[in-house]
Amino acid sequence: MKRIVFLDYVRVFACFLVILVHACENFYGAPGSTDMAGPQTFLATEADRLWVSVYDGFSRMAVPLFMIVSAFLLVPMKEGQTAMVFYRRRAIRILPAFVAFMVIYSTVPMLWNQIDQETSMRDLSHLVLNFPTLAGHLWFMYPLISLYLFIPIISPWLTKASAREERFFISLFLISTLMPYLNRFFGDVWGQCFWNEFHMLWYFSGYLGYLVLAHYIRVHLDWSVAKRMTIGSVLLIVGAAWTILSFYIQAVPGELHDTPTVELGWSFCTINCVMLTTGAFLLFTCIKKTTEPRLIADLSNLSYGMYLMHILWLGLWVKIFKDNMGLPTVEAIPAIAVCTFMTCYIATKILSLIPGLRWMAGVMTPSKNKSTIVASV
């Protein structure tokens, strides 16, 4: 299969943005929270408010970009491939490392007293149900797995659907991304009530919309590079400004806030986040190179393992740059993110070179004729 070079760049970019998001969370978590934001938000200074809004708001495209990359590569299923074969290949690709790191997050933090034995045992006993206490970033795996489960179901429709039919689906998806704002300002809409969460557009909402959007861009979008650059830039700028301001105008320094309230515009399936993500992805599609630097290919291949482990390293760099050195927020957040990113790359690279442990780095050995990115998360 021909290598799709621009997707390597997207994955590296998205992986870094995920780490940047979690670096920011150390600057607005309420007192007593862990390395990730909790149910309450507290910003100590105006500088924290500004730079958390900018860095974190811009980075909210990270998760949708990962969803789009997976859908771009995997949808629709290959002709003749059965659902069971598809599920088996996806399971082999993601589950071993995922389960291993859930066990690691449930046990290893006891070594530096971040969790006690009671918490560890509770986390281990609940692994079948949900992610561990200190591995909140692993929430992403559940909607990703859900999309994988749905790909064999939606693939036959996408194989036959016209561009117009897909645009109709995407239009309903975009309307559904207004739901967080409609609920905030108008309460329950379109059939929602205390006994029914399944509103009128429920089945067109969520990450499935990104899946169909990715397929539409790959199969039906025939825009020139200039048009992609223009429209992509506009969507990126407007989406970024909206996403950044949605947090900034609410997160008043010195006050305790409800995190879901101030993060309303940071939900991954809001219209502004869709604009931000689509704009960025369109710009990446303008990369027409057939080869890329070896480092980019390597980072792309190791990005899954880097994502899985990054919270283990994040706290170290937070302690160095924020607690010990006391860097100003504008410098501390990117410093934490860059050093965490580099540390994760080195660690996953070492793991990938140890016989028998490549799977823990999230690496599957590709065939000689296939791109490493074909084994996409």
Side-chain angles (χ1 to χ4, degrees), residues 278-332:
T278 305
F281 191 75
L282 286 175
L283 292 177
F284 275 108
T285 64
C286 296
I287 298 174
K288 300 300 182 183
K289 296 180 179 179
T290 56
T291 60
E292 78 267 67
R294 183 174 179 178
L295 178 61
I296 295 296
D298 208 29
L299 284 166
S300 174
N301 195 33
L302 296 171
S303 60
Y304 180 40
M306 293 169 65
Y307 151 75
L308 289 172
M309 73 165 59
H310 76 272
I311 296 297
L312 292 172
W313 295 103
L314 187 72
L316 168 66
W317 297 110
V318 170
K319 188 173 182 62
I320 291 173
F321 291 117
K322 181 188 178 187
D323 301 337
N324 294 345
M325 295 179 62
L327 290 183
T329 308
V330 62
E331 299 173 13

Side-chain angles (χ1 to χ4, degrees), residues 77-91 148-156:
M77 288 195 317
K78 296 178 182 178
E79 187 176 353
Q81 186 179 47
T82 66
M84 290 302 107
V85 169
F86 178 83
Y87 291 151
R88 182 168 62 251
R89 289 179 178 175
R90 292 296 94 204
Y148 285 166
L149 292 173
F150 204 74
I151 284 175
I153 298 168
I154 200 171
S155 286

Side-chain angles (χ1 to χ4, degrees), residues 1-9 11-12 72-73 287-302 366-375:
M1 183 174 179
K2 185 179 179 181
R3 189 179 194 91
I4 307 175
V5 168
F6 83 86
L7 292 180
D8 282 332
Y9 285 95
R11 288 189 66 173
V12 175
F72 198 93
L73 291 166
I287 298 174
K288 300 300 182 183
K289 296 180 179 179
T290 56
T291 60
E292 78 267 67
R294 183 174 179 178
L295 178 61
I296 295 296
D298 208 29
L299 284 166
S300 174
N301 195 33
L302 296 171
S367 68
K368 293 181 180 179
N369 296 323
K370 292 186 178 180
S371 160
T372 53
I373 201 167
V374 172

Side-chain angles (χ1 to χ4, degrees), residues 21-315:
V21 165
H22 294 145
C24 290
E25 292 189 1
N26 287 272
F27 291 81
Y28 72 95
S33 62
T34 63
D35 291 333
M36 299 181 69
Q40 292 186 309
T41 290
F42 182 84
L43 291 128
T45 67
E46 182 61 38
D48 288 351
R49 178 195 193 188
L50 173 61
W51 294 110
V52 166
S53 298
V54 172
Y55 289 134
D56 205 332
F58 179 80
S59 300
R60 289 287 156 163
M61 69 178 90
V63 165
L65 281 176
F66 273 125
M67 297 292 191
I68 286 179
V69 168
S70 288
F72 198 93
L73 291 166
L74 299 173
V75 179
M77 288 195 317
K78 296 178 182 178
E79 187 176 353
Q81 186 179 47
T82 66
M84 290 302 107
V85 169
F86 178 83
Y87 291 151
R88 182 168 62 251
R89 289 179 178 175
R90 292 296 94 204
I92 292 172
R93 166 65 178 140
I94 67 171
L95 291 184
F98 175 44
V99 173
F101 272 95
M102 286 211 293
V103 173
I104 288 171
Y105 281 108
S106 299
T107 55
V108 172
M110 284 195 296
L111 296 177
W112 50 84
N113 299 317
Q114 197 171 10
I115 59 173
D116 55 25
Q117 186 174 3
E118 181 181 354
T119 301
S120 173
M121 294 305 297
R122 183 176 66 249
D123 285 348
L124 287 170
S125 67
H126 284 73
L127 287 190
V128 147
L129 301 175
N130 216 339
F131 51 81
T133 302
L134 296 182
H137 66 298
L138 296 183
W139 72 268
F140 164 77
M141 297 302 299
Y142 298 90
L144 180 69
I145 291 170
S146 177
L147 280 186
Y148 285 166
L149 292 173
F150 204 74
I151 284 175
I153 298 168
I154 200 171
S155 286
W157 176 71
L158 287 173
T159 301
K160 299 177 181 179
S162 66
R164 183 179 182 182
E165 289 170 335
E166 288 192 38
R167 285 197 299 269
F168 176 71
F169 186 104
I170 293 168
S171 297
L172 295 178
F173 162 63
L174 292 177
I175 295 172
S176 79
T177 62
L178 297 172
M179 289 294 293
Y181 297 106
L182 293 174
N183 290 152
R184 168 71 69 86
F185 297 110
F186 300 104
D188 292 337
V189 297
W190 299 335
Q192 290 175 314
C193 50
F194 75 87
W195 67 85
N196 177 51
E197 62 185 301
F198 303 102
H199 56 80
M200 181 177 66
L201 295 180
W202 178 274
Y203 301 105
F204 295 90
S205 63
Y207 297 105
L208 182 60
Y210 284 111
L211 184 151
V212 178
L213 179 63
H215 181 268
Y216 182 84
I217 291 173
R218 181 171 68 84
V219 175
H220 299 296
L221 199 68
D222 57 358
W223 292 350
S224 66
V225 170
K227 189 172 183 179
R228 288 173 185 244
M229 288 285 289
T230 301
I231 295 179
S233 297
V234 171
L235 288 173
L236 178 69
I237 292 169
V238 174
W242 185 341
T243 308
I244 290 167
L245 288 173
S246 70
F247 185 90
Y248 182 81
I249 63 178
Q250 298 182 90
V252 179
E255 296 183 10
L256 199 61
H257 301 280
D258 177 56
T259 299
T261 299
V262 294
E263 287 192 354
L264 173 69
W266 284 2
S267 298
F268 301 116
C269 293
T270 51
I271 184 65
N272 50 287
C273 197
V274 175
M275 294 170 65
L276 175 63
T277 303
T278 305
F281 191 75
L282 286 175
L283 292 177
F284 275 108
T285 64
C286 296
I287 298 174
K288 300 300 182 183
K289 296 180 179 179
T290 56
T291 60
E292 78 267 67
R294 183 174 179 178
L295 178 61
I296 295 296
D298 208 29
L299 284 166
S300 174
N301 195 33
L302 296 171
S303 60
Y304 180 40
M306 293 169 65
Y307 151 75
L308 289 172
M309 73 165 59
H310 76 272
I311 296 297
L312 292 172
W313 295 103
L314 187 72

